Amino acid sequence: FSATIPGQPTGTLAAFRVAALDKSSPTKVSYYPPDLPVHECLVRWGEVFQPGSFGTVRFYMTDTNLNFWANRERMANDNVPVTIVYGNDREVYLGGGRYSGSPYHQGYDSPIGSPCDYDFEVPPDDLLLGANELHISWPGNGGDDPTGQNEQTGYWILNKLGVQANYRRYVNVFVNGAHRGFILED
């Protein structure tokens, strides 16, 4: 199916499933993902290449899952099925995502709407950078840092003082082709 997002480049999102058949009698079939339609493998054509040295993270979800995510309880801890593409060549199927936040930060309206932070999980047998979770945040407190440098500078100062501090990388984030902010952090 085609997915067009107003104000964003047009792209095509396709769902697929892989079937493997053996030659035994009777023939046995194995599917990936095994629980269709709960999980689907997604691929998208027409993505914009992000030049520069910052990483790129892309998340794909069907319209059904995007609408479910946008209309459900903001503090829900259960994941919505997503496909995660890290960089230009690392796909993680059967991932799950949800809003990351607190009762004090719930002004978001959709994964592609107002600024929001994300938590993603990947299957335990398909770790991403050695971890089963990925946290994506807008710089500052709810995206209130237009420079994207305040927290990074604070962490750098703490590290120089020998104090343990977070390490956050800048990343370009796209959700179904929609570019999220000028820069985010993972």
Side-chain angles (χ1 to χ4, degrees), residues 21-142:
L21 295 99
D22 67 13
K23 293 188 177 197
S24 65
S25 182
T27 300
K28 294 182 182 176
V29 181
S30 181
Y31 295 98
Y32 182 84
D35 58 348
L36 190 73
V38 174
H39 288 95
E40 297 173 300
C41 297
L42 302 173
V43 64
R44 184 175 161 85
W45 291 270
E47 290 288 338
V48 176
F49 175 75
Q50 245 354 79
S53 60
F54 297 134
T56 300
V57 182
R58 301 176 190 279
F59 307 105
Y60 304 139
M61 65 188 88
T62 63
D63 288 342
T64 300
N65 287 335
L66 180 68
N67 290 329
F68 172 73
W69 185 333
N71 293 304
R72 71 186 190 144
E73 155 60 38
R74 301 292 181 249
M75 296 301 296
N77 286 323
D78 53 321
N79 288 318
V80 177
V82 298
T83 293
I84 301 166
V85 180
Y86 198 88
N88 292 320
D89 57 359
R90 177 67 169 94
E91 299 87 10
V92 177
Y93 301 109
L94 307 183
R98 63 187 179 276
Y99 292 123
S100 177
S102 72
Y104 303 103
H105 296 108
Q106 293 188 38
Y108 28 81
D109 54 11
S110 162
I112 59 172
S114 60
C116 61
D117 294 347
Y118 308 95
D119 280 329
F120 293 95
E121 292 181 10
V122 300
D125 63 346
D126 197 9
L127 300 179
L128 186 59
L129 300 175
N132 67 343
E133 295 179 354
L134 177 64
H135 179 76
I136 303 287
S137 296
W138 287 68
N141 190 6

